[in-house]
Amino acid sequence: MRRRGITVLLGALITAILAVGVMAVPLPYVVLKPGPTVNTLGSDNGKQVIQVTKAETSTSAGQLRLTTVGVQPDVELVWAIRGWFSREQAVVPRELIYPPDRTEKQVEAQNQQEFASSQTSAETVALRELGYPVQVYVKKVTDGSPAVGKLAADDVLTSVDGTKVTGPQNLTDLIRAKPEGSTLTIGYVRDGKPGTVAIATRSAAADEPPRIGVEIAQKQPHPFTVKIDLDEIGGPSAGLMFTLGIIDKLKPADLTGGKIIAGTGTIDDAGKVGPIGGIPQKLVGAKEAGAQLFLVPAGNCAEALRNAVSGLPMAKVTTVDDALTALRTFTSGGTPKPCSAA
């Protein structure tokens, strides 16, 4: 009996050790959690998030909070189990966040690159809303091209066949909208004087789109500087909230109406709001930060509705203009256009 008891005890001990070992083995998953939220109108680590020089800025009574997702990269079984049973967390395959062909550092570097790009687009869109439109200008006229003798470096291109040029991609689309050999009327401004010129398009090769033969760039003249200073946050999903923050800082009117508004979404140079990942965790983080309204990209509405947080209304936004309309409606006591499953 004594020998049998020892055997049972040893077996139980070995089983316990193995169980502990299994619980401690890293799994090929990551856990997504609600991350910190940041008021784009306030400060972070003692520094203003949006810094404007050479211009007067306004102070708002409320907040415009960007939202984030926290990622736990090293997941043991006990954490995975907790995540699977949690309504605030999600357990997803590690390769969705950290692709096998890239290191964590490479992923972080890409996130920082996307973060910087989102800031640039946010500034572009905000400045346009504030009355400083994008100007597309000629950097160089290509030798032997149809534009030789008709356009010159530093010409600002304003229209194509009467349609206004709003950005580099828009200009390219207008030129490519008609077949090769089409004669286009190009509007421009040179040394402050407007003019037009007729240019027939030409393709460099049979399988290439028609061109007029200029290298272009964009500028957005304005008398002040804008800088976004925020550490340890990456990715493009703060674009919308940065855009709103810049507009609020430089407009006398308070966009927040004293309310706490949270949101998410990418922004492109045209002002379109794009979908993001981690909407369930961002909704939870926003609610914990006291948000009274959440701006949801239209592409995330179905997922947001499935993960709605009690007491946090959601407004559907497709463009920055939609977001501004939602803010005006909400702060005046109305109900912004809500998310719909369709």
Side-chain angles (χ1 to χ4, degrees):
M1 289 295 293
R2 185 178 179 186
R3 186 177 298 172
R4 184 180 300 174
I6 293 173
T7 301
V8 171
L9 286 173
L10 285 173
L13 180 60
I14 291 171
T15 300
I17 292 172
L18 290 174
V20 170
V22 169
M23 296 292 280
V25 172
L27 300 177
Y29 295 92
V30 298
V31 176
L32 305 182
K33 304 178 179 182
T37 70
V38 178
N39 178 21
T40 61
L41 303 177
S43 59
D44 182 69
N45 292 327
K47 299 177 291 186
Q48 285 291 309
V49 175
I50 298 174
Q51 302 169 6
V52 180
T53 56
K54 299 180 182 179
E56 289 188 11
T57 58
S58 61
T59 301
S60 295
Q63 302 175 17
L64 292 171
R65 302 193 75 90
L66 64 84
T67 51
T68 66
V69 176
V71 179
Q72 181 179 332
D74 300 315
V75 179
E76 298 170 1
L77 184 58
V78 63
W79 290 108
I81 293 172
R82 289 181 183 178
W84 279 319
F85 286 98
S86 171
R87 295 193 62 184
E88 299 182 0
Q89 301 179 9
V91 181
V92 301
R94 182 183 178 82
E95 62 187 20
L96 293 180
I97 308 298
Y98 301 107
D101 59 341
R102 281 180 286 172
T103 65
E104 285 188 27
K105 286 187 176 181
Q106 288 174 324
V107 171
E108 290 171 2
Q110 180 181 344
N111 286 340
Q112 287 303 316
Q113 201 170 42
E114 291 175 345
F115 185 63
S117 178
S118 74
Q119 293 179 33
T120 300
S121 292
E123 184 176 347
T124 296
V125 175
L127 289 175
R128 186 167 62 241
E129 291 286 338
L130 292 164
Y132 301 98
V134 170
Q135 295 181 355
V136 180
Y137 68 95
V138 177
K139 284 181 65 178
K140 178 184 176 183
V141 176
T142 306
D143 292 341
S145 74
V148 170
K150 298 183 177 183
L151 292 174
D154 296 325
D155 284 351
V156 175
L157 305 180
T158 57
S159 64
V160 176
D161 285 344
T163 300
K164 185 178 179 180
V165 172
T166 58
Q169 187 58 52
N170 163 255
L171 172 64
T172 300
D173 292 342
L174 290 173
I175 292 172
R176 294 178 179 179
K178 294 184 178 180
E180 178 190 6
S182 299
T183 298
L184 306 178
T185 300
I186 307 296
Y188 66 92
V189 173
R190 182 182 299 163
D191 296 327
K193 298 178 181 179
T196 60
V197 65
I199 301 178
T201 61
R202 185 192 307 164
S203 297
D207 59 345
E208 292 190 5
R211 309 166 187 260
I212 60 173
V214 294
E215 294 180 18
I216 59 173
Q218 73 176 46
K219 57 185 177 181
Q220 202 168 9
H222 52 280
F224 49 83
T225 60
V226 176
K227 179 185 176 184
I228 296 175
D229 196 338
L230 193 58
D231 298 327
E232 299 180 359
I233 290 180
S237 66
L240 171 62
M241 300 311 291
F242 281 144
T243 304
L244 297 176
I246 295 170
I247 294 172
D248 190 275
K249 282 260 186 178
L250 287 163
K251 270 192 171 182
D254 181 352
L255 296 183
T256 71
K259 309 288 187 180
I260 301 177
I261 315 294
T264 188
T266 64
I267 198 80
D268 66 12
D269 286 352
K272 294 180 181 178
V273 179
I276 48 76
I279 194 74
Q281 289 72 44
K282 291 182 176 182
L283 288 168
V284 172
K287 179 63 176 178
E288 291 176 349
Q292 297 162 278
L293 177 70
F294 195 95
L295 304 177
V296 182
N300 287 118
C301 269
E303 184 183 11
L305 287 172
R306 292 194 301 270
N307 295 275
V309 174
S310 177
L312 182 61
M314 298 180 290
K316 173 183 177 180
V317 295
T318 304
T319 65
V320 69
D321 288 334
D322 289 344
L324 291 169
T325 298
L327 292 180
R328 285 192 296 268
T329 301
F330 185 68
T331 56
S332 62
T335 301
K337 184 177 181 179
C339 265
S340 59

